[in-house]
Structure formats: structure tokens, C-alpha cells
Amino acid sequence: MTPPSRFDEPWQAQLFALTVAMSEAGHFTWARWAEAFGATLKAMGTDRLLDGGADYYAAWLTTLEGLLDRSGHAPVDEAAATKAAWERAYLATPHGQPVQLPG
Amino acid sequence: MRRPFGRCILDSGFGAPHDAPMPHDHPDHPHSLLPSDPALRVKALETILVRKGLVDPAAMDEILDTYERKVGPHLGAKVVARAWSDPAFRDRLLADATAAIAELGISGRQGEHVVAVENTPDTHNMVVCTLCSCYPWPLLGIPPAWYKSDAYRARAVREPRKVLAEFGVSLPDGQKVRVWDSTAEVRYLVVPMRPEGSEGLDEAALSDLVSRDSMIGTGLAGASK
């Protein structure tokens, strides 16, 4: 039996693992991560109070995208193009088939 | 086992990996359901980083497995129960928690130091991360949503007694509240006071009295988990 996930949605878990894996692989220190994440939370929290759930992981994602853009590991243009490629792949794949990127 | 990239990210948690597509008909959706915007953005990052060899998919799976299944407050509870039962261990824990928890096979993955702060009749300790959500992951797992909320992060420092009252904790007037602000480098573990009437219990029974919140300082040991 599988215990209930500690994340509300699978992408949050994937995002968490991706970030920890990047840090553990030495691409950024956890202190640098925390500083950048803290800055995003502060900026987002000026408009409204964050509830620590979905908006927390939205801030997490924005932070990681920004860090990886600045470091050159995943520039925004490349990230946007890859996202668009995944969208096309989903829309072109019959339901029930595995979705894959061409090439 | 690593699932292929093409798996539908919407269909489940991280429980049973399945490579076979789910057989069911959706006449209105001839194509695969499009994942949400953030799900696609995460997928895009993962694709790029894996392609460039910057992250290992197996490492990501291992991290998920650890935090979804292995790590959780039961580990912190084990440490607290040991501290209650073994005065020498308690002393080592308070002197150098990172080394003491390593004795029980628990260690941080990010080089962070763990500092244990012990509640006494004079002082109640409570932990927050005002910056983001730094938390003693190796001992407590993934923090609850309230710990990550702006409300808790702001108010724990400003009005800790009021926050405690909302958690159902009322302290004697003479007991001071000390709030510890976690950072990426230092994570705090509260060692709650051992409940009265728990004499004679063994470590396993004691650890059942230690709730997650009691180790953050927003609860007391022995109260319902």
C-alpha cells in the first residue's frame, strides 16, 4: 500500500526532487537556494498572504526557473520552447499512449 | 525504477509506477490530457537538465522515495524518546545534535547543522523560518502547509503566545517563549518536556507520545498527535 503523498500534486514533488537533486549535484548551494526562495516569497507576499500550499510551490517554481536562467543551466527561452514542445506532444498523442518528445 | 518521461503526470501521486497506459475511453478527449501550466514548466526544466546531464533521474527518484516514504516525524520522535530515556544521549544531543542524531543513523543531506533546544518549566521553544521554510527535514520530513504560510512565518515571531493559543497550547505565565529562526544552515529541533505519568515507558512507547508539532514547539508531547 502506498501512503498518501506529502505533496498536493505530483508536479510539486517532482519540483522538490529536481531542486534538491540540482543542489546535491553541486550546481547551487542550499543557502543560495534559500536566499533566492526567500526573496520570491517576500515579493509575492507583498500583494497578499501566501497560504503555504499551492502558492508556495508556485513561488518555488518561479525561483528555480530564475536561478537556472541566471546560471545558464536552463535559459528562459529554452525552457519556454521545451514546454511548448511538451504541449504539442500531449495534444498530438492519442489518449492512452505514452507522450514523448520527438527526437 | 524510472518511469519514462512520457507518463501522464496528472494521473497519480508517486505511488505505483506504471508504464502501461490506463485503458479508458474519453471520446471528448481524443488526445492526452494536457497537464497544468506548472506541471509542464517542471517537466520542461527536468527535460533540459536531464538532457544536459546536470541531474540524474535516478537521484531524483531516490530523493522522492526518501521524502515520501522514509523520512518523517517518526525519526524525530525516536530522537526525543532516546533523549528522555538516556541522559548521556540527551547531553550529547544538546551539545551537538548533528553528531548525536548520526548515532541513530540520521543525517542531513545538505550539510545543515541540527540544533536541539530543550523545553523546560522555565522556557518553551518554538521554531519558525521567517525567510522561507527551512525545516529539519532529516528528522521531520516535509513541513506542513501552515509552517510555510506567511501567517505563521510572520506571527510566530511577533506574537508567539497568540499563535500557540491557536494551536491549543497555553503555557503558564512564568514560562518564557523563545522563538528560533531557522536558516539554510541551521535547523532546530524542539525537545519537548516528557509528559507526566510516562515513567516506566520504553523508548518505543515514549516515541508515540511525541507529535510532529511538539518538535516544532506548536504542541506539547503527550497531547494528541
Side-chain angles (χ1 to χ4, degrees):
Chain A
M1 211 186 100
T2 308
S5 175
R6 288 161 189 171
F7 299 91
D8 292 332
E9 296 187 55
W11 68 263
Q12 298 172 355
Q14 209 64 14
L15 174 63
F16 172 84
L18 189 60
T19 309
V20 174
M22 280 297 282
S23 177
E24 290 187 359
H27 302 301
F28 49 78
T29 63
W30 201 255
R32 173 136 181 262
W33 163 258
E35 192 188 333
F37 187 35
T40 310
L41 286 171
K42 199 170 171 191
M44 281 179 63
T46 49
D47 297 334
R48 65 204 160 84
L49 280 185
L50 306 181
D51 68 8
D55 53 15
Y56 173 84
Y57 285 105
W60 185 304
L61 177 53
T62 302
T63 307
L64 186 63
E65 286 172 331
L67 265 187
L68 297 175
D69 177 51
R70 287 193 295 279
S71 67
H73 291 126
V76 278
D77 294 352
E78 191 180 356
T82 309
K83 176 178 178 258
W86 272 116
E87 269 170 6
R88 285 193 301 275
Y90 271 92
L91 295 176
T93 305
H95 189 74
Q97 300 290 312
V99 182
Q100 281 170 334
L101 283 187
Chain B
M1 191 185 110
R2 180 68 187 167
R3 284 149 286 168
F5 266 131
R7 95 197 133 81
C8 177
I9 203 166
L10 285 177
D11 61 7
S12 68
F14 286 82
H18 60 269
D19 295 333
M22 305 284 279
H24 57 177
D25 293 328
H26 277 296
D28 297 344
H29 297 283
H31 56 73
S32 300
L33 281 176
L34 196 59
S36 66
D37 175 73
L40 283 168
R41 284 158 64 198
V42 173
K43 238 170 139 47
L45 291 181
E46 182 181 346
T47 304
I48 293 166
L49 300 174
V50 170
R51 252 188 209 155
K52 293 182 178 174
L54 296 166
V55 284
D56 178 1
M60 285 180 62
D61 279 354
E62 191 272 321
I63 289 162
L64 275 180
D65 187 50
T66 298
Y67 286 106
E68 285 279 40
R69 291 184 190 70
K70 294 179 187 152
V71 172
H74 62 281
L75 292 179
K78 200 168 130 185
V79 170
V80 171
R82 173 69 58 89
W84 285 346
S85 315
D86 177 348
F89 179 80
R90 170 200 166 270
D91 294 345
R92 292 199 296 282
L93 182 69
L94 295 178
D96 181 352
T98 310
I101 64 173
E103 292 176 29
L104 301 185
I106 303 168
S107 65
R109 301 173 62 109
Q110 293 145 329
E112 68 271 38
H113 286 285
V114 177
V115 171
V117 288
E118 186 185 48
N119 287 348
T120 65
D122 293 330
T123 307
H124 178 89
N125 296 287
M126 185 172 158
V127 180
V128 67
C129 172
T130 57
L131 174 67
C132 50
S133 54
C134 300
Y135 190 70
W137 288 355
L139 293 160
L140 302 184
I142 304 288
W146 59 258
Y147 184 84
K148 302 177 290 194
S149 69
D150 278 357
Y152 180 75
R153 288 167 42 224
R155 294 182 54 225
V157 176
R158 213 170 52 223
E159 44 188 19
R161 274 179 193 274
K162 219 164 153 181
V163 172
L164 284 173
E166 288 163 22
F167 276 92
V169 176
S170 62
L171 302 173
D173 286 342
Q175 195 177 19
K176 290 192 300 275
V177 178
R178 190 151 182 205
V179 181
W180 300 83
D181 196 357
S182 308
T183 65
E185 286 91 7
V186 183
R187 319 285 177 98
Y188 297 96
L189 174 77
V190 174
V191 180
M193 284 200 284
R194 181 171 174 162
E196 288 185 25
S198 63
E199 301 79 13
L201 295 181
D202 64 13
E203 275 185 44
L206 285 172
S207 71
D208 285 341
L209 303 176
V210 186
S211 64
R212 175 194 68 203
D213 289 2
S214 75
M215 294 180 279
I216 304 175
T218 53
L220 303 176
S224 60
K225 286 197 180 188

